[in-house]
Amino acid sequence: MHAYWALATTDETARAAIRRTTTALSVERAVGGAPIRQDWPHLRLTAMHTILRAKFNQYQELADVLLGTGDGRIDYNISSAYWSGGTKGRNWLGRLLELVRSEIVAQRAGFLP
């Protein structure tokens, strides 16, 4: 959440405040009324994909947990119709986790660098 919102805002003061936070709620407070990039709706999926890829490349134990889900659908559920699944959600976070999972499999098989 920290990286996502730090990339979303154009305000350096808000970015610094985000870096100092320790919880998801405090990130939301830090970003508050800060200006969001006008092109953010077009960049946010790529930003989240990049963040997830970095996270799972950095923390191999988390990558192993993700790989433990096999090739099953990942239905991520939070209070966002955009990021979550469920009956009406778009489940973008679940889809991105599935994509990162497949990239990890390909990397470990020597198919991707």
Side-chain angles (χ1 to χ4, degrees):
M1 182 168 279
H2 288 74
Y4 178 83
W5 285 111
L7 291 171
T9 185
T10 57
D11 185 279
E12 287 302 322
T13 303
R15 286 180 176 168
I18 290 167
R19 279 192 296 273
R20 291 189 302 270
T21 65
T22 57
T23 67
L25 182 58
S26 58
V27 169
E28 290 178 14
R29 288 183 184 143
V31 77
I36 302 298
R37 299 174 55 111
Q38 286 190 330
D39 55 356
W40 191 240
H42 304 288
L43 299 174
R44 63 184 174 170
L45 283 176
T46 299
M48 185 61 84
H49 179 230
T50 301
I51 292 164
L52 290 171
R53 185 186 300 141
K55 175 182 179 175
F56 288 102
N57 282 335
Q58 184 176 358
Y59 297 101
Q60 292 301 303
E61 63 278 7
L62 294 179
D64 292 340
V65 170
L66 183 59
L67 291 176
T69 63
D71 65 353
R73 175 183 160 91
I74 298 175
D75 193 12
Y76 192 83
N77 284 302
I78 57 173
S79 62
S80 165
Y82 185 80
W83 294 112
S84 291
T87 57
K88 296 182 183 179
R90 297 181 70 186
N91 196 38
W92 278 115
L93 196 51
R95 293 180 193 190
L96 290 175
L97 286 167
E98 291 172 16
L99 177 60
V100 169
R101 179 181 62 197
S102 69
E103 291 171 346
I104 294 167
V105 169
Q107 286 171 339
R108 290 186 179 184
F111 189 74
L112 290 177

